[in-house]
Amino acid sequence: MRFVKPLALATLVGLTAMPAAATAKTPLGEVKEIHDGLMAVGIADQLRKDCDNLSARILTAYGYINSLKSRASELGYSDQEIEDFVTSKDEKRQMRADGEAYLRARGVDPEDSAAFCAFGVSEIGAGTAIGKLLREN
């Protein structure tokens, strides 16, 4: 009987601890679909700023951003957590570094304006997430 009480207590403690571990959220910047979507928006935004031959599909971009926010909410992130993520200077720095790495992995030097703009045009032609946010002038 003495053994049963400690075992029951240990089981009860273990069961009550499980939901806390199961509900721990991944940092929003590590949620691939959110990260990749925001990176696409960031790259498209930089393309429209740097390339005279490209402009933004503003309504498409707003709709896409809202869909990312809705998805983050569905995943259990509060409005405050989402706001903190998108306004964080550290997260912005990391996203910029990730975007530059993404470009370099595709053979694009982000400092080479002609190559960067050509990349934008090719993204439009390929209908990628980045390309869908842009149009050629």
Side-chain angles (χ1 to χ4, degrees):
M1 199 66 141
R2 286 183 179 176
F3 180 70
V4 174
K5 281 188 178 181
L7 180 59
L9 182 61
T11 303
L12 182 60
V13 169
L15 289 174
T16 58
M18 281 177 48
T23 60
K25 288 186 262 184
T26 302
L28 198 48
E30 295 176 19
V31 177
K32 185 171 176 36
E33 65 185 297
I34 303 299
H35 173 275
D36 291 356
L38 288 174
M39 187 173 65
V41 170
I43 292 171
D45 187 49
Q46 197 61 51
L47 282 161
R48 69 135 186 120
K49 289 177 184 174
D50 292 354
C51 305
D52 292 336
N53 62 324
L54 300 176
S55 58
R57 293 183 180 274
I58 299 293
L59 294 178
T60 301
Y62 281 130
Y64 188 56
I65 290 167
N66 283 331
S67 73
L68 291 171
K69 183 176 188 234
S70 292
R71 181 63 181 140
S73 293
E74 288 170 8
L75 293 171
Y77 296 90
S78 69
D79 288 345
Q80 188 61 53
E81 288 172 313
I82 296 166
E83 181 68 19
D84 290 346
F85 172 71
V86 298
T87 59
S88 165
K89 289 181 181 182
D90 289 338
E91 292 293 345
K92 287 179 184 179
R93 262 193 258 25
Q94 184 61 53
M95 189 64 69
R96 183 167 198 76
D98 292 349
E100 288 178 3
Y102 176 87
L103 292 167
R104 290 185 195 288
R106 283 149 186 77
V108 178
D109 177 358
E111 302 301 317
D112 180 347
S113 200
F116 186 52
C117 295
F119 169 78
V121 171
S122 70
E123 292 291 286
I124 293 169
T128 65
I130 295 168
K132 290 177 183 178
L133 301 171
L134 298 168
R135 72 167 46 102
E136 278 190 89
N137 296 334

